[in-house]
PDB file of all heavy atoms in Angstrom:
ATOM      1  N   ALA A  76     209.217 130.608 130.502  1.00  0.00           N
ATOM      2  CA  ALA A  76     208.971 130.039 131.810  1.00  0.00           C
ATOM      3  C   ALA A  76     210.238 129.388 132.342  1.00  0.00           C
ATOM      4  O   ALA A  76     210.874 128.623 131.634  1.00  0.00           O
ATOM      5  CB  ALA A  76     207.837 129.017 131.719  1.00  0.00           C
ATOM      6  N   GLU A  78     212.541 126.861 134.485  1.00  0.00           N
ATOM      7  CA  GLU A  78     212.567 125.530 135.105  1.00  0.00           C
ATOM      8  C   GLU A  78     213.905 125.367 135.769  1.00  0.00           C
ATOM      9  O   GLU A  78     214.861 126.040 135.445  1.00  0.00           O
ATOM     10  CB  GLU A  78     212.356 124.452 134.033  1.00  0.00           C
ATOM     11  CG  GLU A  78     210.973 124.506 133.374  1.00  0.00           C
ATOM     12  CD  GLU A  78     210.785 123.381 132.355  1.00  0.00           C
ATOM     13  OE1 GLU A  78     211.755 122.619 132.163  1.00  0.00           O
ATOM     14  OE2 GLU A  78     209.706 123.288 131.796  1.00  0.00           O
ATOM     15  N   VAL A 362     201.875 115.282 114.788  1.00  0.00           N
ATOM     16  CA  VAL A 362     202.039 116.234 115.884  1.00  0.00           C
ATOM     17  C   VAL A 362     202.696 117.513 115.382  1.00  0.00           C
ATOM     18  O   VAL A 362     202.334 118.619 115.826  1.00  0.00           O
ATOM     19  CB  VAL A 362     202.813 115.606 117.059  1.00  0.00           C
ATOM     20  CG1 VAL A 362     204.247 115.283 116.666  1.00  0.00           C
ATOM     21  CG2 VAL A 362     202.807 116.550 118.259  1.00  0.00           C
ATOM     22  N   ILE A 366     200.901 121.246 115.300  1.00  0.00           N
ATOM     23  CA  ILE A 366     201.506 122.394 115.985  1.00  0.00           C
ATOM     24  C   ILE A 366     201.742 123.533 114.980  1.00  0.00           C
ATOM     25  O   ILE A 366     201.525 124.697 115.326  1.00  0.00           O
ATOM     26  CB  ILE A 366     202.840 121.977 116.656  1.00  0.00           C
ATOM     27  CG1 ILE A 366     202.569 121.037 117.840  1.00  0.00           C
ATOM     28  CG2 ILE A 366     203.584 123.209 117.173  1.00  0.00           C
ATOM     29  CD1 ILE A 366     203.825 120.429 118.463  1.00  0.00           C
ATOM     30  N   TRP A 381     212.012 124.327 117.746  1.00  0.00           N
ATOM     31  CA  TRP A 381     212.195 123.336 118.803  1.00  0.00           C
ATOM     32  C   TRP A 381     213.673 123.232 119.185  1.00  0.00           C
ATOM     33  O   TRP A 381     214.029 123.206 120.366  1.00  0.00           O
ATOM     34  CB  TRP A 381     211.634 121.999 118.323  1.00  0.00           C
ATOM     35  CG  TRP A 381     211.938 120.830 119.179  1.00  0.00           C
ATOM     36  CD1 TRP A 381     211.250 120.407 120.303  1.00  0.00           C
ATOM     37  CD2 TRP A 381     212.992 119.861 118.966  1.00  0.00           C
ATOM     38  NE1 TRP A 381     211.833 119.267 120.807  1.00  0.00           N
ATOM     39  CE2 TRP A 381     212.880 118.888 120.004  1.00  0.00           C
ATOM     40  CE3 TRP A 381     213.981 119.708 118.015  1.00  0.00           C
ATOM     41  CZ2 TRP A 381     213.754 117.808 120.113  1.00  0.00           C
ATOM     42  CZ3 TRP A 381     214.852 118.629 118.111  1.00  0.00           C
ATOM     43  CH2 TRP A 381     214.749 117.699 119.163  1.00  0.00           C
ATOM     44  N   GLN A 384     214.785 126.431 121.197  1.00  0.00           N
ATOM     45  CA  GLN A 384     214.284 126.457 122.566  1.00  0.00           C
ATOM     46  C   GLN A 384     214.944 125.416 123.470  1.00  0.00           C
ATOM     47  O   GLN A 384     214.834 125.490 124.683  1.00  0.00           O
ATOM     48  CB  GLN A 384     212.737 126.336 122.585  1.00  0.00           C
ATOM     49  CG  GLN A 384     212.059 127.587 122.046  1.00  0.00           C
ATOM     50  CD  GLN A 384     210.533 127.556 122.187  1.00  0.00           C
ATOM     51  OE1 GLN A 384     209.834 128.102 121.342  1.00  0.00           O
ATOM     52  NE2 GLN A 384     210.025 126.979 123.275  1.00  0.00           N
ATOM     53  N   ALA A 409     206.908 131.357 119.672  1.00  0.00           N
ATOM     54  CA  ALA A 409     207.509 130.388 120.602  1.00  0.00           C
ATOM     55  C   ALA A 409     206.571 129.203 120.762  1.00  0.00           C
ATOM     56  O   ALA A 409     205.368 129.286 120.569  1.00  0.00           O
ATOM     57  CB  ALA A 409     207.750 131.033 121.969  1.00  0.00           C
ATOM     58  N   LEU A 410     207.173 128.046 121.090  1.00  0.00           N
ATOM     59  CA  LEU A 410     206.384 126.828 121.331  1.00  0.00           C
ATOM     60  C   LEU A 410     206.144 126.712 122.830  1.00  0.00           C
ATOM     61  O   LEU A 410     206.985 127.081 123.649  1.00  0.00           O
ATOM     62  CB  LEU A 410     207.168 125.603 120.843  1.00  0.00           C
ATOM     63  CG  LEU A 410     207.572 125.573 119.357  1.00  0.00           C
ATOM     64  CD1 LEU A 410     208.381 124.337 119.045  1.00  0.00           C
ATOM     65  CD2 LEU A 410     206.342 125.678 118.461  1.00  0.00           C
ATOM     66  N   SER A 411     204.965 126.215 123.178  1.00  0.00           N
ATOM     67  CA  SER A 411     204.664 126.015 124.571  1.00  0.00           C
ATOM     68  C   SER A 411     205.454 124.793 125.106  1.00  0.00           C
ATOM     69  O   SER A 411     205.979 123.986 124.351  1.00  0.00           O
ATOM     70  CB  SER A 411     203.175 125.755 124.763  1.00  0.00           C
ATOM     71  OG  SER A 411     202.814 124.497 124.185  1.00  0.00           O
ATOM     72  N   GLN A 412     205.511 124.663 126.429  1.00  0.00           N
ATOM     73  CA  GLN A 412     206.182 123.518 127.034  1.00  0.00           C
ATOM     74  C   GLN A 412     205.542 122.222 126.564  1.00  0.00           C
ATOM     75  O   GLN A 412     206.226 121.213 126.333  1.00  0.00           O
ATOM     76  CB  GLN A 412     206.175 123.620 128.547  1.00  0.00           C
ATOM     77  CG  GLN A 412     207.031 124.721 129.089  1.00  0.00           C
ATOM     78  CD  GLN A 412     207.022 124.784 130.622  1.00  0.00           C
ATOM     79  OE1 GLN A 412     206.193 124.141 131.270  1.00  0.00           O
ATOM     80  NE2 GLN A 412     207.926 125.571 131.175  1.00  0.00           N
ATOM     81  N   GLU A 413     204.220 122.228 126.438  1.00  0.00           N
ATOM     82  CA  GLU A 413     203.505 121.025 125.999  1.00  0.00           C
ATOM     83  C   GLU A 413     203.884 120.685 124.569  1.00  0.00           C
ATOM     84  O   GLU A 413     204.130 119.495 124.216  1.00  0.00           O
ATOM     85  CB  GLU A 413     201.998 121.231 126.105  1.00  0.00           C
ATOM     86  CG  GLU A 413     201.196 120.020 125.658  1.00  0.00           C
ATOM     87  CD  GLU A 413     199.683 120.241 125.721  1.00  0.00           C
ATOM     88  OE1 GLU A 413     199.269 121.371 126.098  1.00  0.00           O
ATOM     89  OE2 GLU A 413     198.918 119.325 125.408  1.00  0.00           O
ATOM     90  N   GLN A 414     203.954 121.703 123.694  1.00  0.00           N
ATOM     91  CA  GLN A 414     204.339 121.471 122.292  1.00  0.00           C
ATOM     92  C   GLN A 414     205.771 120.965 122.193  1.00  0.00           C
ATOM     93  O   GLN A 414     206.101 120.067 121.397  1.00  0.00           O
ATOM     94  CB  GLN A 414     204.157 122.741 121.471  1.00  0.00           C
ATOM     95  CG  GLN A 414     202.692 123.126 121.284  1.00  0.00           C
ATOM     96  CD  GLN A 414     202.491 124.531 120.753  1.00  0.00           C
ATOM     97  OE1 GLN A 414     203.356 125.414 120.927  1.00  0.00           O
ATOM     98  NE2 GLN A 414     201.386 124.769 120.083  1.00  0.00           N
ATOM     99  N   MET A 415     206.668 121.540 123.000  1.00  0.00           N
ATOM    100  CA  MET A 415     208.058 121.081 123.038  1.00  0.00           C
ATOM    101  C   MET A 415     208.122 119.608 123.419  1.00  0.00           C
ATOM    102  O   MET A 415     208.845 118.803 122.826  1.00  0.00           O
ATOM    103  CB  MET A 415     208.864 121.933 124.014  1.00  0.00           C
ATOM    104  CG  MET A 415     209.159 123.349 123.554  1.00  0.00           C
ATOM    105  SD  MET A 415     210.331 123.415 122.177  1.00  0.00           S
ATOM    106  CE  MET A 415     211.826 122.835 123.012  1.00  0.00           C
ATOM    107  N   ALA A 416     207.372 119.224 124.457  1.00  0.00           N
ATOM    108  CA  ALA A 416     207.362 117.867 124.933  1.00  0.00           C
ATOM    109  C   ALA A 416     206.805 116.904 123.896  1.00  0.00           C
ATOM    110  O   ALA A 416     207.312 115.781 123.714  1.00  0.00           O
ATOM    111  CB  ALA A 416     206.586 117.759 126.239  1.00  0.00           C
ATOM    112  N   GLN A 417     205.801 117.336 123.165  1.00  0.00           N
ATOM    113  CA  GLN A 417     205.183 116.498 122.137  1.00  0.00           C
ATOM    114  C   GLN A 417     206.206 116.197 121.009  1.00  0.00           C
ATOM    115  O   GLN A 417     206.289 115.083 120.522  1.00  0.00           O
ATOM    116  CB  GLN A 417     203.976 117.174 121.556  1.00  0.00           C
ATOM    117  CG  GLN A 417     202.772 117.221 122.470  1.00  0.00           C
ATOM    118  CD  GLN A 417     201.625 118.040 121.944  1.00  0.00           C
ATOM    119  OE1 GLN A 417     201.829 118.973 121.160  1.00  0.00           O
ATOM    120  NE2 GLN A 417     200.399 117.756 122.361  1.00  0.00           N
ATOM    121  N   ILE A 418     206.963 117.200 120.639  1.00  0.00           N
ATOM    122  CA  ILE A 418     207.961 117.001 119.577  1.00  0.00           C
ATOM    123  C   ILE A 418     209.108 116.118 120.092  1.00  0.00           C
ATOM    124  O   ILE A 418     209.575 115.192 119.408  1.00  0.00           O
ATOM    125  CB  ILE A 418     208.502 118.351 119.071  1.00  0.00           C
ATOM    126  CG1 ILE A 418     207.362 119.147 118.426  1.00  0.00           C
ATOM    127  CG2 ILE A 418     209.624 118.140 118.066  1.00  0.00           C
ATOM    128  CD1 ILE A 418     207.744 120.558 118.068  1.00  0.00           C
ATOM    129  N   SER A 419     209.557 116.385 121.313  1.00  0.00           N
ATOM    130  CA  SER A 419     210.630 115.581 121.894  1.00  0.00           C
ATOM    131  C   SER A 419     210.238 114.110 122.041  1.00  0.00           C
ATOM    132  O   SER A 419     211.091 113.215 121.986  1.00  0.00           O
ATOM    133  CB  SER A 419     211.030 116.131 123.271  1.00  0.00           C
ATOM    134  OG  SER A 419     211.579 117.432 123.161  1.00  0.00           O
ATOM    135  N   ALA A 420     208.961 113.858 122.225  1.00  0.00           N
ATOM    136  CA  ALA A 420     208.472 112.481 122.386  1.00  0.00           C
ATOM    137  C   ALA A 420     208.611 111.668 121.113  1.00  0.00           C
ATOM    138  O   ALA A 420     208.476 110.437 121.119  1.00  0.00           O
ATOM    139  CB  ALA A 420     207.019 112.486 122.840  1.00  0.00           C
TER     140      ALA A 420
END
Side-chain angles (χ1 to χ4, degrees):
E78 294 181 359
V362 65
I366 292 173
W381 171 83
Q384 289 186 214
L410 303 178
S411 68
Q412 291 182 348
E413 181 182 1
Q414 291 168 334
M415 288 289 293
Q417 288 173 333
I418 297 172
S419 295

